[in-house]
Amino acid sequence: MTAGPFENLLVDRDGAVATITINRPKVLNALNTQTLDELRRAILDLAHDASVRVVILTGSGEKSFVAGADINEIALQTPTSGRTHAMTGQHVFDLIETMGKPVIAAINGYALGGGCELAMACTMRIAADSAKLGQPEINLGIIPGYAGTQRLSRLVGRGAALEMLLTGDQISAADAYRLGLVNRVVTGANLMGEARKVAQALAAKAPIALRFIIDAVNNGLQMSFREAENHEATLFGLVATTEDMREGTRAFLEKRKPEFKGK
Ligand code: COA
């Protein structure tokens, strides 16, 4: 099914829900170039597989979601390779944001640096109560390079983002929830169950409408309000061409549950 085999990822399927697990537990699932490339291939593959409606992204082991970019590689960057490295990571995370299907980050532990940036590129974030989030790059004398400065300020606002980025401090899942950095906090034991519950609920919705909502929000945030309204209206018109629109409205009027086909 997927463009595997992967050395550093596990990809599982349960009906319409695919789960990608970053699997380098010895280094707390740090993202090296190979893992980023495997993630790119897995996301493209799941984006093109119409039988997949929702993706869950998590880290292997109890301790860490992703503890950042692999510092062994960061230490060797030159000005030119550093720029390419950042753009490569940005490209992979942009693919996650624009794949057209909800991607749920199940944050099972440390989500630091590139790990926090990866979670922020996802559509929703559910955290275990023991999770720690942060952008500690400043402590290495560097800055985030996978769009962390941009996604964090858009998610939590300029003031809280600057504090996290400048101090490099780790924050608790509870604080991340208060800031709007994560959508839900659950116990570690309930994390995957909650992620699957949300994923299954989204998998039953109309896939094209889901895709257009993600598009309207993410692209709309980069436009003026009037341009974004115009974009929303165009998508609203497009969704009116779908069989799912007819099924959804008819099912309501016939007092039954809709069955969406993604057409
Ligand atoms: N890159 C490469 N290796 C990493 C890593 C990263 N981002 N994060 C953790 N590791 C490795 C450690 O070097 C260690 O390897 P070792 O067993 O060969 O010594 C292993 O993972 C376990 O980490 P360790 O630091 O011993 O665990 P800890 O529980 O004491 O601390 C963290 C956990 C997450 C606080 C700590 O590992 C850390 O600060 N990691 C870096 C976070 C970071 O700065 N990320 C941004 C990178 S741009």
Side-chain angles (χ1 to χ4, degrees), residues 6 34 42 46 58 88 156 194-195 205 220 249 256:
F6 299 119
Q34 183 183 336
L46 297 175
T58 193
T88 302
V156 306
E194 182 72 10
K205 311 271 184 212
T249 49
R256 60 175 174 83

Side-chain angles (χ1 to χ4, degrees), residues 96-97 101-105 119-125 183 214 218:
I96 292 172
E97 193 172 77
K101 300 177 188 188
V103 183
I104 300 168
M120 290 192 290
C122 295
T123 326
M124 272 183 71
R125 285 150 293 285
N183 298 83
I214 295 169
N218 287 336

Side-chain angles (χ1 to χ4, degrees), residues 24-31 63-64 66-74 110 112-115 117 134-137 139-140 142-144 170:
R24 297 183 80 209
K26 283 194 184 130
V27 287
L28 306 183
N29 306 319
L31 296 173
K63 203 170 156 183
S64 184
V66 167
D70 192 313
I71 297 172
N72 297 294
E73 288 185 358
I74 299 276
Y110 291 114
L112 301 176
E117 292 171 299
Q135 298 288 162
E137 287 87 347
N139 298 326
L140 300 169
I142 60 171
I143 73 170
Q170 295 175 14

Side-chain angles (χ1 to χ4, degrees), residues 90-166:
Q90 288 170 357
H91 172 68
V92 177
F93 290 10
D94 288 350
L95 278 179
I96 292 172
E97 193 172 77
T98 60
M99 78 177 287
K101 300 177 188 188
V103 183
I104 300 168
I107 306 173
N108 53 309
Y110 291 114
L112 301 176
C116 190
E117 292 171 299
L118 175 61
M120 290 192 290
C122 295
T123 326
M124 272 183 71
R125 285 150 293 285
I126 305 177
D129 51 10
S130 59
K132 298 272 187 207
L133 296 91
Q135 298 288 162
E137 287 87 347
I138 187 71
N139 298 326
L140 300 169
I142 60 171
I143 73 170
Y146 301 159
T149 58
Q150 301 313 301
R151 287 202 176 91
L152 188 62
S153 47
R154 281 163 176 76
L155 263 176
V156 306
R158 190 160 66 106
L162 279 167
E163 181 175 341
M164 281 182 68
L165 292 162
L166 295 176

Side-chain angles (χ1 to χ4, degrees), residues 219-220 222-234:
N219 286 319
Q222 296 176 53
M223 300 174 188
S224 73
F225 190 84
R226 294 284 171 255
E227 286 168 328
E229 274 188 323
N230 198 26
H231 181 53
E232 183 192 79
T234 302

